[in-house]
Amino acid sequence: SDSFSKELQRENDTFGDLLLKDELDGVKDAYNALVPKTKAFFAYFIREFDDAVRFVALVDDDVYVDAKRLVESVPAMPTTRFYGGQVWAEHFGQPKLPQRDPKHRNYLSEEDYPMSQLPPFAIGPHYVLSRDCAQFIADNKDVLRGVGTLEDVSVALWMLAIGVKPQHTPLFANARLFGC
């Protein structure tokens, strides 16, 4: 609504801590827009931050980040060709399967995704990319296709296109599943 938009703008004018749709190339903030929103976010990151910023973390707004631990782990991460997070296929020792139920929000038809397994991917609530990987997405945002609403699987496929595989990072374990 207009009143909510005004409140968001007032919040951003005061604290400068929000990315509004204008900064993300007009992409709407909705679940079915996760793939274009992710591409727009990486384009924003590349456009707004200088080359000294070596990594970008994509984190959902309902995820608690222990910033100190994350920063402490950065020196151990490769500074190029890095894509890391909680990789479910490695964590659970089995691949994730595409959702074939048309009523599910993550439904993938066989026409859109004909493979029987999803590629290994760092799950969507939180993952890290080195700047060069984010640059690839930003540079190719207009031609990269997504996989349904699955931005995390889409990122994995885009990274595989340049030979970058996701690295399982235990630090990114999902507290909903494993506790703090």
Side-chain angles (χ1 to χ4, degrees):
S1 68
D2 287 339
S3 63
F4 185 68
S5 294
K6 287 177 185 173
E7 288 297 318
L8 283 176
Q9 189 59 55
R10 186 174 15 252
E11 159 79 14
N12 204 36
D13 291 345
T14 302
F15 299 103
D17 61 350
L18 299 175
L19 289 179
L20 302 177
K21 67 180 181 180
D22 293 338
E23 285 122 350
L24 292 180
D25 303 326
V27 174
K28 68 180 182 170
D29 187 13
Y31 190 79
N32 64 357
L34 285 175
V35 173
K37 188 168 71 169
T38 299
K39 292 190 291 184
F41 171 74
F42 285 120
Y44 172 85
F45 169 78
I46 293 299
R47 184 172 63 243
E48 296 296 321
F49 295 94
D50 66 30
D51 291 343
V53 180
R54 298 177 304 170
F55 298 98
V56 59
L58 193 134
V59 180
D60 285 359
D61 63 355
D62 62 348
V63 171
Y64 171 77
V65 176
D66 183 339
K68 183 180 179 202
R69 283 186 67 200
L70 180 60
V71 169
E72 288 170 353
S73 70
V74 166
M77 295 179 194
T79 57
T80 61
R81 302 180 58 75
F82 180 76
Y83 160 46
Q86 184 182 13
V87 180
W88 280 40
E90 188 171 327
H91 194 113
F92 293 109
Q94 61 185 14
K96 292 286 283 178
L97 306 177
Q99 180 52 253
R100 300 298 190 199
D101 178 357
K103 295 176 186 165
H104 195 278
R105 71 179 186 168
N106 294 328
Y107 168 67
L108 289 176
S109 70
E110 288 193 47
E111 183 178 311
D112 288 337
Y113 190 84
M115 294 176 275
S116 62
Q117 298 177 357
L118 296 173
F121 63 97
I123 63 170
H126 41 57
Y127 52 87
V128 174
L129 294 175
S130 56
R131 182 182 185 84
D132 59 321
C133 292
Q135 182 83 52
F136 172 79
I137 295 171
D139 290 347
N140 295 285
K141 69 182 178 64
D142 295 330
V143 296
L144 292 172
R145 268 192 70 214
V147 179
T149 59
L150 303 175
E151 52 76 30
D152 46 9
V153 175
S154 299
V155 168
L157 290 169
W158 302 335
M159 292 298 96
L160 283 173
I162 60 172
V164 176
K165 296 177 183 171
Q167 301 298 307
H168 179 64
T169 308
L171 180 66
F172 280 75
N174 188 320
R176 269 188 298 190
L177 299 175
F178 304 104
C180 294

